[in-house]
Amino acid sequence: MRTLDVDARRYVWCKGQAVWRTSLLITGDFEDLRGAVADGQAGLARYSARKIGQNCAIVLNLVLFYERPLPPTRMRISWALDRLADHELGRDCAALVRASLDTPMDELLETTGRLVAGVREVVGDVPNPISPDGYFPALATARDWLKLAEAVGEQGFLPVEWTSQEAH
């Protein structure tokens, strides 16, 4: 039997954020990276790899340390990388965030693939919303985490404009 090391509200908020970022943001950017490498678009490849490194660092902090709230956007990456300095996946995050224009695209793709696989191992099974077989399971997973957040009295992870009654 396994128990949580943190309170339920913190766990749900952090894990919901991590699942959301892994499912949609990281998956979408990884798809962009693959396309950029295939088309020889070095600038887009570096940009996508950097975004993946940033989001993976944030996700790892959420599921390893259950830290919340997230710092302001300007401070978030240095905050996340600092806490992961000694973690193997943290080193890959930092390598992607700090990659130079001279970093070969194949190296970016290899590092990113290893990092995304490692993050998915830590976060757990997260459906791929971009694939035909993963779209509806991804929606169901998001719905389940949103319901759980509501059940423990926690705010969801979707942008407010997506869920507020005023937006509809």
Side-chain angles (χ1 to χ4, degrees):
M1 176 181 220
R2 185 170 178 214
T3 62
L4 298 176
D5 295 332
V6 296
D7 66 272
R9 290 184 66 190
R10 180 175 296 270
Y11 175 82
V12 168
W13 188 88
C14 290
K15 185 74 176 205
Q17 289 275 344
V19 167
W20 168 251
R21 286 177 180 274
T22 303
S23 178
L24 190 61
L25 303 178
I26 293 171
T27 300
D29 288 334
F30 196 30
E31 199 63 29
D32 289 347
L33 175 63
R34 286 184 185 130
V37 170
D39 289 344
Q41 299 176 340
L44 179 58
R46 183 175 175 276
Y47 175 76
S48 298
R50 180 181 172 90
K51 284 177 51 182
I52 292 167
Q54 292 172 345
N55 275 310
C56 285
I58 293 166
V59 165
L60 288 168
N61 271 281
L62 289 168
V63 296
L64 295 175
F65 308 118
Y66 297 103
E67 294 207 25
R68 68 174 282 204
L70 292 175
T73 305
R74 289 182 180 167
M75 297 173 53
R76 201 168 289 164
I77 301 314
S78 60
W79 163 84
L81 291 176
D82 182 55
R83 282 159 180 69
L84 295 170
D86 295 329
H87 195 280
E88 181 180 336
L89 294 174
R91 288 188 287 279
D92 281 343
C93 292
L96 292 175
V97 168
R98 297 178 179 131
S100 73
L101 294 172
D102 298 330
T103 306
M105 288 189 292
D106 291 340
E107 186 180 319
L108 290 175
L109 189 59
E110 180 184 327
T111 302
T112 303
R114 182 177 58 243
L115 176 60
V116 170
V119 167
R120 285 185 172 274
E121 279 183 32
V122 172
V123 172
D125 186 31
V126 178
N128 178 351
I130 296 175
S131 73
D133 295 339
Y135 179 76
F136 289 112
L139 290 177
T141 299
R143 183 193 64 233
D144 291 346
W145 279 101
L146 288 169
K147 283 182 178 180
L148 189 55
E150 186 178 314
V152 297
E154 195 55 63
Q155 213 175 24
F157 47 84
L158 293 177
V160 176
E161 45 289 343
W162 290 14
T163 58
S164 72
Q165 293 300 324
E166 297 167 8
H168 300 283

